Amino acid sequence: MNKKSINILLVEDNPGDARLLREMLSRQVSFDIELTHVASMSEAENHLAKDAVDIILLDLGLPDVQGLGAVRRARAAAPRVPLVVLTGLHDEALAEQVLQEGAQEHLIKGQIETRGLVRAMRYAMERKVMEEALHVKEEALFVEKERAQVTLNSIGDAVICTDISGNITFLNLVAERMTSWSREEAEGRPMAEVFRIIDATSRETTPNPTEKAVEQDRTVHLPSNCLLIQRDGSEIPVEDCVSPIHDREGKAIGAVIVFRDVSVAQAMALQMAHSAQHDFLTGLPNRMLLNDRVRQAIALAPRHLKKVAVLFLDLDGFKYINDSLGHPIGDKLLQSIAKRLVTCVRGSDTVSRQGGDEFVVLLSEMEQSEDAAITARRMLEAVAKAHSIDQHDLHVTTSIGVSIYPDDGLDAETLIKNADTAMYQAKENGHQSYKFFKPAMNVRAVERQSIEESLRRALERQEFALHYQPIINLKTGEISGAEALIRWNHPTRGLVSPAQFIPVAEDCGLILPIGNWVLREACRQAQAWAVAGLPLGTIAVNISAIEFRDEHFLEGVFGILKDTGLDPRSLELELTESVLMKRAESTESILKALRARGVQVAVDDFGTGYSSLSYLRRFPIDALKIDQSFVRQITTAPDETTIVTAVISMGRSLKLRVVAEGVETEEELAFLQAHQCDEAQGYYFSRPVRPEQFAKLLETGIPSGAVHSI
């Protein structure tokens, strides 16, 4: 042991004994001593709670605890610190008990001399170093008799300990399994009786390796071709490492043998086969195993006169949870959903995870198609219930598509594909619903795929353009701003409605680059008009939930403003209520950052989202946009204009601009003006027009009372 400073805690109530021990320790030269002396166990516990020590010297006769109680309290207070027990009696039974309780050494007062004390401390320090090495490296194993209870189950290793006579004192769980001997049955038996090994070639008994390790006082190994004969006579190929166990004086007192089943490679092959067929996160069958089971179900269905159903599930709202709370929470949510889905089906059915937030369920041997509907409804309900994960009550729903064999396909691939197609139909119809596959759905699926493929090339081919719809100040009749609206001029389809391609862009991840292009182009155009002496007021740009939640959102907005030179006060971002209300804390910080730069924020389609209005006071918002469905009620349902008047009144009381969308008639305009609505846009004033046409409107203004179709 290198010379170093050792912190020793002496727990001794006899001042004379304490002084004697201090003097003895001061005479040794192996290491520097820092000795702390306390006279009771309570003082010792207080000290150990605050300060680290290397060794504890413990008297068993303390004023507040006696005998083994002192050992137990010391071990409880510092379980990893070596303990040397001091007693005034020569009691072998007591000595054995304190060692069993976890002490590393037992010394008798009056018989202690400096060398013995130093040797005991040296042994204790070496023991501590070995334990720390075991904790750090995990692969190194130094077994002491006092630590025989440690089981080394890592990498499947088995551990057996013996005493100096070669009789077994300990088996870990892996050793019990490999030898077929329980620990209770094996203890006290000769090593050769429990650990029977033979040469695989000659079939002769191999000499006991523990005897060789003890005799030669070194680590030894078995020959590489040894077989372990289990209690029932079966054989396992093994390899091992045997090391002697020493007492405090370095004398061999037994041996420890660590061995492993070298046929583990076969087990690993089986495990790899399982992993290849099961999802690593949920443990459910994966795509490959599901396909195989669907094929089996299809093969059996005709002879049993049964049907087979495939349900394709996609979670609604999972991406938001995964992005906002992190992947660990998202993974636990997927595991929770997987467990619930399994409870919804029979043991003969299969629930599989396809990847991401998609699951596919096989219902084999159904009597009728309605059975699939019953299961689908059960799954919708099970998934929708709150999931309590890491102190979060998480809510998600699912959309389910159902296909039936033989009606909707004669093979696994077709059934799964058609169930997937039906799932998209369910999702488009409002989420948390199920749809059975119909052939007409394939036409829509092909159409959607075609749109996605074309979208991926639309940006680079410059197929997008922005049109601008004027926003009118209802007091002055002047143009106070414009809303930028994207248009896609497909080379073969012509103009594609945003209602067709925006949802596809959001699903396939293209909304971020497309949204970035829209914002940049709108800012560039607004600045160009300003430079040309055509001040616009504000340019309004719609921001999707995916864009708003992107970690680079603020950086992108401010970067575009800097690049284009547009005054931030001229930019207004339109966000829906549902976007604002998700993750309220982060929403508030983002809105405050925008407000600090002068960027304005409007709530788009106001009244169609969350019913809670507390965010209007909490968030820095500049304007409310009344959804056109409410504006239409002015003429179609005059008795149901309460929402419009309420929004206008609310906006005025909160000092927010109120903008009415979709104004198409003079009657609607008159109503809005009578109720002091601030601004409006719609076909009554102008359709969305190309930049050059909008520039003319800025020059001439909107003719009073005219409906424009430019």
Side-chain angles (χ1 to χ4, degrees), residues 85-361:
V85 169
L86 309 172
T87 67
L89 299 174
H90 191 289
D91 187 337
E92 292 185 0
L94 178 61
E96 182 177 351
Q97 287 178 314
V98 299
L99 293 176
Q100 290 176 350
E101 290 291 341
Q104 272 67 47
E105 188 58 82
H106 172 266
L107 301 177
I108 302 173
K109 293 181 180 181
Q111 298 181 16
I112 303 174
E113 43 88 22
T114 301
R115 180 179 302 174
L117 179 60
V118 171
R119 183 168 57 248
M121 292 174 56
R122 183 187 301 275
Y123 178 84
M125 292 304 299
E126 290 175 351
R127 180 80 173 90
K128 181 181 178 183
V129 170
M130 292 168 65
E131 289 179 352
E132 290 176 349
L134 173 63
H135 179 70
V136 173
K137 297 181 180 179
E138 294 185 356
E139 296 179 1
L141 177 63
F142 300 91
V143 177
E144 297 291 339
K145 181 178 181 179
E146 297 78 11
R147 303 294 292 176
Q149 298 302 315
V150 177
T151 57
L152 303 178
N153 291 322
S154 61
I155 64 171
D157 285 0
V159 179
I160 299 178
C161 297
T162 70
D163 58 20
I164 191 62
S165 300
N167 295 323
I168 290 176
T169 60
F170 171 78
L171 279 77
N172 74 345
L173 294 176
V174 180
E176 288 183 332
R177 176 175 56 79
M178 290 183 65
T179 63
S180 300
W181 285 83
S182 70
R183 176 181 170 185
E184 292 76 12
E185 293 175 305
E187 281 185 343
R189 293 179 181 271
M191 181 69 169
E193 183 178 347
V194 176
F195 188 69
R196 296 173 54 206
I197 46 178
I198 63 172
D199 184 279
T201 303
S202 66
R203 310 295 296 179
E204 295 181 357
T205 300
T206 301
N208 190 330
T210 58
E211 296 177 0
K212 185 177 180 180
V214 172
E215 290 173 0
Q216 300 181 5
D217 196 20
R218 66 179 181 87
T219 299
V220 298
H221 298 271
L222 275 177
S224 59
N225 60 338
C226 285
L227 297 175
L228 168 66
I229 308 301
Q230 293 181 296
R231 195 175 184 180
D232 61 2
S234 57
E235 301 174 353
I236 300 176
V238 296
E239 61 183 20
D240 77 348
C241 167
V242 188
S243 299
I245 300 175
H246 302 94
D247 61 14
R248 297 296 182 185
E249 297 178 353
K251 180 181 178 181
I253 58 172
V256 57
I257 178 168
V258 181
F259 59 100
R260 64 187 61 85
D261 179 358
V262 293
S263 62
V264 67
Q266 300 173 8
M268 286 296 294
L270 293 175
Q271 179 61 42
M272 291 177 64
H274 180 273
S275 298
Q277 294 183 326
H278 290 79
D279 172 49
F280 76 96
L281 179 63
T282 63
L284 296 176
N286 62 11
R287 186 192 308 268
M288 181 175 70
L289 183 55
L290 173 79
N291 287 346
D292 183 59
R293 291 186 179 177
V294 174
R295 284 191 288 268
Q296 292 180 31
I298 288 174
L300 292 173
R303 72 180 71 168
H304 295 164
L305 301 178
K306 303 289 185 180
K307 291 177 178 285
V308 174
V310 171
L311 282 65
F312 200 111
L313 290 78
D314 183 88
L315 301 181
D316 310 317
F318 175 76
K319 186 178 186 304
Y320 161 70
I321 292 175
N322 214 30
D323 291 345
S324 60
L325 298 180
H327 291 283
I329 297 292
D331 288 347
K332 291 180 181 179
L333 176 58
L334 289 174
Q335 291 168 341
S336 175
I337 291 170
K339 291 177 182 177
R340 292 190 186 180
L341 293 178
V342 170
T343 64
C344 295
V345 299
R346 304 163 299 178
S348 58
D349 300 325
T350 299
V351 178
S352 73
R353 180 176 176 234
Q354 298 293 285
D357 59 349
E358 294 179 339
F359 296 84
V360 175
V361 179

Side-chain angles (χ1 to χ4, degrees), residues 320 323 544-553 578-584 586-587 590:
Y320 161 70
D323 291 345
S544 70
I546 297 174
E547 293 174 87
F548 189 68
R549 295 301 170 197
D550 183 69
E551 59 180 335
H552 302 297
F553 172 68
S578 58
V579 172
L580 290 173
M581 289 306 296
K582 289 182 179 179
R583 293 178 60 194
S586 62
T587 294
I590 294 172

Side-chain angles (χ1 to χ4, degrees), residues 403-415:
S403 64
I404 304 294
Y405 170 86
D407 306 351
D408 303 324
L410 300 178
D411 56 67
E413 181 180 358
T414 303
L415 285 173

